[in-house]
Amino acid sequence: MTAPVVLCGGARLPLADRIGRGGEGEIYAVADGSGRAVKVYLKPDAAREIKVRAIIVRNLGDACSNVTFPLEIVRYPDGRFAGFTMQQVAGHQPIHELITTASRRKHFPKADYRFLVHVALNVAQIVASAHAAGVVIGDINGSGFLVSQRGTVTLIDADSLQVGAHRCPVGMAEYTSPELQGVAFGTVDRTTDQDAFGLAVILFQILALGRHPFAGVVRGRPVQIDQAITKGQFAYSLLRTVGATPPPGALRLDDLPRAIRLLFERAFAGRGYPRPTAADWVEALGALAKSLTPCSNRSDHHVAVERGSCPWCPIERETGRPIFVGGINTSDVQRVASPSKMEDVVAEAIQHAKRYAGEAVMPMWSRPPAAPGKSARKALATIDGRVGQSPPSLRALQLGSGLVDKFIGRNDVAQRTASRALNEWRSRLGVWDIAKLIDQLREQSEQLDRLQMNRAVVVARATASGGSTPLVRLRVRNLAQFSMTIWNWAQQRRTVRNYL
């Protein structure tokens, strides 16, 4: 297609081939070596021009370098508004090409879990920088973030973001918070807290290899995502009973470190709860990136030190397909295990703590299960009378669908109220201090076990390579820290014992 003729600052811009097309406009590369691109609107209007001008005046491109904010207005030769220039993004793929296993093998064949965590951190940093600049993204989705082979991330379609009084008119239901489901986006002012929901969804998809946090299973059938979001059915929740479960072969929430788990629980707790900010995610994901260590069975599997056991090995066994490309199977390497009695002490301390203040603690309900009320008994009797049978059959429920819907609605409200009360009760209980101490203890213990198991691997590789490779030297330094690890571990054990 022939590129249109446009002017920038009164001079004609030499446009090369079209490099993209969306619902609002077409993207052309600028053939002057400046690394810029031009977005030409299909239906330019005065409102778009005013918004683009407001973004340019605020110099948002300087505040958020990884966001393709408009840089200059471009016009047709007759003076009509045409679009704007922006920084061209080359060598990147939409983030959805990285998230799912099949497309990741094609577009990011060298990506492992360290790469995914690195990308997730970069996404959170971009959102944090946008919020710090006073911008609400609004339309967070899997196509708006582009990823390079080096893991750098760029946010595109920046002209649709909410800037000042200029609203974001678009959005995708899969990334939209419950309070905005079914709302006309152009009629409301979006908030950073609503951005926080979409951010949590896309971060979950990155960390869980494409799984949507609300794509659960109810009675053996997948649920519709927008409806699940509206009902608050975060299928992976460990703190709430939502009536939905994760699909088979999926990463579990308890495969992630505690800090990450709690952020997801807060992000998807439902309406009325403040969600984690982008800055919260930057801190937690930065810690996760630093804690990743290779699985003892496969070199292409990486695990958070806090969790110890590899979640990818059982998922691969269940699905029968490799998750990441490449890697060395080290399960047949002979290991020298050094069992320790301290391991039993750790397990005992953890069990003791969980009995009194674990994350699965539940309140003692003082009331017995409630009996059906008068109106409920009357409704059931009415249904039974229509079909002449008891208990009511599915046909009976269909005949009394209005009454059934009424009671289902009341039940849903009661379930949400009880769930909210339970979450608040857990928060007031204050069990997290001891839980953190337990996690520190477990982390030191697992690090000790990992170093012990890797001893034979280090010796074998040192023998094969003459002890000169960087990997061998790194492992030897790890072994040199062995005594310090034991000391720290013993200190943590004493701290937990004193706390209990």
Side-chain angles (χ1 to χ4, degrees), residues 34 58 84 91 100 115 123 199 260 273 288 326 337 360 376 423 425 434 462 479:
S34 63
R58 294 180 62 169
F84 58 89
T100 57
F115 186 88
V123 169
L199 173 62
I260 301 291
Y273 295 95
L288 173 59
N423 290 338
W425 180 85
I434 191 170
L479 290 175

Side-chain angles (χ1 to χ4, degrees), residues 30 34 71 94 106 170 173 186 206 223-224 237 250 275 296-297 317 341 347 366 372 374 443 473:
V30 178
S34 63
L71 301 176
K106 177 181 179 181
V170 291
I206 296 172
V223 299
Q224 191 169 326
S237 178
R275 301 175 178 111
S296 58
N297 293 324
R317 288 194 295 268
K341 292 183 179 180
S366 58
K374 181 178 179 180
E443 178 181 340
R473 290 197 295 272

Side-chain angles (χ1 to χ4, degrees), residues 100-404:
T100 57
T101 300
S103 60
R104 184 173 62 255
R105 289 174 183 157
K106 177 181 179 181
H107 298 286
F108 297 90
K110 297 182 180 179
D112 57 16
Y113 201 63
R114 294 172 300 179
F115 186 88
L116 294 178
V117 173
H118 175 70
V119 168
L121 175 58
N122 284 342
V123 169
Q125 287 174 332
I126 288 177
V127 177
S129 66
H131 288 175
V135 174
V136 176
I137 297 173
D139 186 21
I140 291 180
N141 63 75
S143 299
F145 293 94
L146 303 184
V147 185
S148 74
Q149 295 297 321
R150 295 183 294 111
T152 57
V153 179
T154 301
L155 177 63
I156 61 173
D157 292 334
D159 56 314
S160 69
L161 309 188
Q162 178 175 293
V163 179
H166 303 282
R167 292 169 171 164
C168 173
V170 291
M172 294 181 62
E174 294 86 347
Y175 299 89
T176 299
S177 59
E179 62 270 23
L180 287 181
Q181 289 289 331
V183 174
F185 297 125
T187 64
V188 294
D189 292 327
R190 315 279 269 275
T191 67
T192 55
D193 187 64
Q194 290 160 354
D195 267 3
F197 181 89
L199 173 62
V201 170
I202 201 165
L203 293 178
F204 188 94
Q205 289 182 306
I206 296 172
L207 298 181
L209 309 184
R211 301 285 189 177
H212 194 285
F214 289 84
V217 177
V218 176
R219 299 185 186 92
R221 295 183 177 182
V223 299
Q224 191 169 326
I225 291 178
D226 57 344
Q227 295 180 4
I229 291 176
T230 302
K231 296 177 181 178
Q233 290 180 314
F234 173 38
Y236 295 77
S237 178
L238 300 175
L239 299 181
R240 297 184 296 129
T241 301
V242 300
T245 58
L251 186 77
R252 300 173 305 175
L253 197 63
D254 55 3
D255 289 325
L256 298 170
R258 176 182 298 276
I260 301 291
R261 299 201 308 265
L262 291 180
L263 291 184
F264 281 128
E265 294 279 11
R266 285 173 51 196
F268 304 134
R271 308 180 188 188
Y273 295 95
R275 301 175 178 111
T277 65
D280 293 333
W281 283 109
V282 170
E283 180 180 356
L285 290 169
L288 173 59
K290 294 177 181 178
S291 74
L292 292 176
T293 185
C295 164
S296 58
N297 293 324
R298 290 196 61 86
S299 62
D300 57 342
H301 291 180
H302 289 81
V303 189
V305 171
E306 175 186 328
R307 303 313 304 153
S309 60
C310 177
W312 314 119
C313 290
I315 290 177
E316 285 188 347
R317 288 194 295 268
E318 182 176 355
T319 61
R321 296 187 302 272
I323 296 175
F324 304 104
V325 178
I328 303 173
N329 191 333
T330 58
S331 60
D332 55 347
V333 177
Q334 182 179 3
R335 296 179 175 85
V336 178
S338 301
S340 169
K341 292 183 179 180
M342 288 190 293
E343 188 174 325
D344 297 332
V345 178
V346 173
E348 180 185 350
I350 292 175
Q351 286 302 113
H352 183 76
K354 280 193 171 183
R355 279 196 297 271
Y356 291 94
E359 63 183 7
V361 65
M362 290 288 290
M364 294 295 294
W365 301 111
S366 58
R367 293 180 55 188
K374 181 178 179 180
S375 58
R377 293 195 302 270
K378 182 178 179 181
L380 289 174
T382 301
I383 295 174
D384 290 344
R386 292 182 183 180
V387 294
Q389 59 181 1
S390 181
S393 65
L394 178 60
R395 173 61 179 166
L397 293 178
Q398 290 172 342
L399 289 173
S401 59
L403 293 172
V404 172

Side-chain angles (χ1 to χ4, degrees), residues 52-125:
V52 169
R53 188 179 299 278
I55 294 174
I56 295 173
V57 168
R58 294 180 62 169
N59 291 320
L60 292 174
D62 295 336
C64 310
S65 58
N66 284 4
V67 182
T68 58
F69 282 113
L71 301 176
E72 306 154 293
I73 286 179
V74 298
R75 299 184 179 279
Y76 291 113
D78 61 4
R80 289 180 298 121
F81 171 68
F84 58 89
T85 66
M86 60 185 176
Q87 196 64 32
Q88 183 178 346
V89 184
H92 287 59
Q93 296 287 341
I95 202 169
H96 64 76
E97 301 289 9
L98 169 70
I99 290 175
T100 57
T101 300
S103 60
R104 184 173 62 255
R105 289 174 183 157
K106 177 181 179 181
H107 298 286
F108 297 90
K110 297 182 180 179
D112 57 16
Y113 201 63
R114 294 172 300 179
F115 186 88
L116 294 178
V117 173
H118 175 70
V119 168
L121 175 58
N122 284 342
V123 169
Q125 287 174 332

